[in-house]
Amino acid sequence: MSDFDGPGLYIHVPFCTHICPYCDFSVLTGDRSWQTRYLQHLSLEIELLTESGWPELVREPPSEAFDTIYFGGGTPSMLPPGNLESILEAVRAKMHVRENAWLFLEANPEDVTLKAATTWRQMGFRTISLGVQSFAEDNLAFLGRQHSPRAARRGLDNALAAGFDTVAMDLIYGIPDQSPRAWQSDLDEALAAGPHHLSCYQLTVHPRTPFGFRQLRGEMMEMDNDDQAELFMLTHRHLAAGGMPGYEVSNFAAGPQHRSLHNQKYWSHSPYLGLGPSAHSFARGRRWWNPRKIKAWMAPLDAGRPPLESVEELGLESLVLESLMLGLRTYDGVDFDNLPGGLGPALWRDNRATIDELVKRGLATVDRSRLRPTLAGLAIADTVARSLDLGGLRNEPT
Ligand code: SF4
């Protein structure tokens, strides 16, 4: 049991200096006046929360205090420290936030000067996550990133020197024609830079992005599945050998204390609240989210209403399926005794033959009521989860 098992708060900061051609997040390259409007509307959104610090639609709001606050985006490091400070003050004034809540900040490597890093650290940020993506000049150019490998190294050095508990970085692999050797050398550079946490994401080409259009025109092709699988295995084996073992399909940490306390809430169905355009929230079997576009997010706030795009009620079957899918993406796997609705033991019995088959094929191991994926199982985590039959749960109420 972690000491941080209360709800998490996510704040989406939708600004970037430049839009990367693979990005499908809710972001814009707005000038300062957009930032001002965003900040005004964020405080309106915070003001509209009920006394519990949750929106009205949450039946029986969680009583525990928020113990993580994650500034993601976008590029939160673009906001001046004074603005980050005001958001934190507003959140602490209105919401039930634990004194020692763990604060996360996503940053563009170029923004991480020693002065800025020291200021963020003094404000209480404990994890800083740099969007490095690659240490190879040609990859950075392909990905449309504005920083150089040198700027990435400098940003990491500054973050380490400022004394964050966890310095994290994101990398992207599966770039068309990327060889295992080239990817391994990127990983070596990352390890040599000395971060405490790494997230390695496979490049995904999303529709209606510049890469999506390039792919439609036949000008680029996503890496094929076999090559991606090879790089996936290489990533997990190489980082484990380098002292940075995986704990989830895309996440690696130099020790359990550096695992992302905030992201683990998403994977374990802990309650979380998202503020800002496109932010998602989850509590008591309900998921809801804000409009993606900043104007659509601001309009209801101007009218004094919460910026709600949609609400989804998750039935028991969906909750169990999500728990399986999220759990089987982690090295710890899924403890069937802890599945929602207390239905794990029956599900285990119903799926005994499938579980035996997964073990026989080297895709999972069994430890009492826990099903743990092997590395081969992690590589096809969704398929493993979907191979389990939830038929008996269909249409059960929560
Ligand atoms: S920096 Fe990140 S959020 Fe911003 S455009 Fe690039 S990928 Fe998207």
Side-chain angles (χ1 to χ4, degrees):
M1 198 85 159
S2 153
D3 191 30
F4 288 80
D5 48 12
L9 176 65
Y10 174 80
I11 298 172
H12 187 76
V13 182
F15 303 107
C16 288
T17 48
H18 166 90
I19 307 295
C20 306
Y22 57 92
C23 182
D24 82 331
F25 295 130
S26 164
V27 283
L28 68 156
T29 53
D31 56 21
R32 282 288 302 163
S33 71
W34 271 108
Q35 289 187 25
T36 307
R37 291 170 74 189
Y38 160 78
L39 290 163
Q40 285 162 347
H41 287 80
L42 188 65
S43 57
L44 289 177
E45 188 175 13
I46 294 168
E47 275 311 309
L48 282 177
L49 299 174
T50 62
E51 224 163 83
S52 68
W54 287 86
E56 235 163 52
L57 60 82
V58 182
R59 310 159 283 199
E60 301 170 50
S63 54
E64 306 97 314
F66 289 92
D67 59 27
T68 57
I69 304 180
Y70 191 108
F71 285 82
T75 310
S77 59
M78 273 177 72
L79 287 183
N83 291 145
L84 290 171
E85 190 89 66
S86 320
I87 298 172
L88 283 171
E89 269 168 26
V91 159
R92 286 189 188 279
K94 179 77 186 184
M95 304 168 75
H96 187 198
V97 178
R98 210 164 87 177
E99 185 74 36
N100 67 343
W102 196 289
L103 308 187
F104 296 76
L105 182 73
E106 287 184 352
N108 175 18
E110 281 181 316
D111 296 339
V112 190
T113 60
L114 186 56
K115 184 164 175 253
T118 307
T119 307
W120 295 324
R121 184 68 198 98
Q122 283 164 354
M123 285 167 62
F125 284 96
R126 298 185 67 178
T127 295
I128 186 165
S129 178
L130 280 72
V132 170
Q133 317 313 353
S134 178
F135 288 96
E137 200 99 52
D138 52 343
N139 287 346
L140 288 173
F142 175 77
L143 294 169
R145 302 298 303 216
Q146 305 294 292
H147 61 267
S148 63
R150 206 158 148 236
R153 281 186 214 103
R154 205 169 36 231
L156 285 159
D157 286 346
N158 289 336
L160 288 164
F164 287 90
D165 294 84
T166 298
V167 173
M169 78 165 103
D170 287 357
L171 293 177
I172 290 180
Y173 69 100
I175 292 168
D177 299 327
Q178 185 176 35
S179 67
R181 195 196 192 105
W183 172 230
Q184 186 169 318
S185 101
D186 233 358
L187 289 174
D188 284 334
E189 288 249 25
L191 288 170
H196 309 105
H197 187 279
L198 272 173
S199 298
C200 299
Y201 299 109
Q202 297 191 17
L203 178 66
T204 308
V205 176
H206 298 283
R208 290 188 301 282
T209 59
F211 273 7
F213 292 121
R214 255 193 249 174
Q215 184 153 286
L216 270 184
R217 292 195 300 268
E219 292 166 11
M220 69 173 273
M221 277 290 286
E222 244 178 317
M223 183 175 272
D224 77 37
N225 287 346
D226 288 349
D227 291 343
Q228 292 224 16
E230 185 181 351
L231 295 189
F232 175 89
M233 293 294 188
L234 168 71
T235 310
H236 283 258
R237 291 191 178 124
H238 197 64
L239 290 179
M244 184 80 78
Y247 64 101
E248 196 259 359
V249 283
S250 307
N251 287 287
F252 306 80
Q257 73 280 21
H258 294 302
R259 294 180 182 179
S260 173
L261 290 167
H262 186 81
N263 288 349
Q264 288 185 99
K265 295 181 192 298
Y266 299 147
W267 308 331
S268 60
H269 270 156
S270 293
Y272 53 87
L273 178 64
L275 302 175
S278 80
H280 280 57
S281 307
F282 176 84
R284 307 275 188 237
R286 245 180 203 180
R287 179 167 293 121
W288 66 99
W289 54 95
N290 287 350
R292 261 181 83 84
K293 300 243 183 240
I294 193 163
K295 283 188 183 167
W297 168 72
M298 292 193 310
L301 288 165
D302 283 330
R305 284 184 284 107
L308 183 64
E309 168 89 13
S310 201
V311 185
E312 182 185 12
E313 298 286 347
L314 298 178
L316 192 51
E317 187 193 358
S318 304
L319 279 173
V320 171
L321 180 61
E322 279 196 7
S323 301
L324 290 170
M325 294 187 87
L326 294 167
L328 289 170
R329 289 171 64 88
T330 68
Y331 275 53
D332 285 343
V334 176
D335 185 349
F336 275 60
D337 279 355
N338 289 336
L339 281 176
L343 293 165
L347 202 62
W348 186 279
R349 275 195 307 279
D350 291 353
N351 281 280
R352 192 65 242 200
T354 308
I355 290 171
D356 288 346
E357 183 62 21
L358 289 171
V359 172
K360 204 164 118 205
R361 290 172 57 203
L363 295 172
T365 59
V366 165
D367 176 6
R368 278 183 281 241
S369 57
R370 186 175 288 279
L371 185 65
R372 210 176 251 127
T374 59
L375 190 48
L378 270 184
I380 52 162
D382 288 357
T383 310
V384 171
R386 288 189 189 281
S387 70
L388 298 163
D389 179 12
L390 310 190
L393 307 183
R394 212 141 283 155
N395 304 324
E396 292 261 2
T398 49

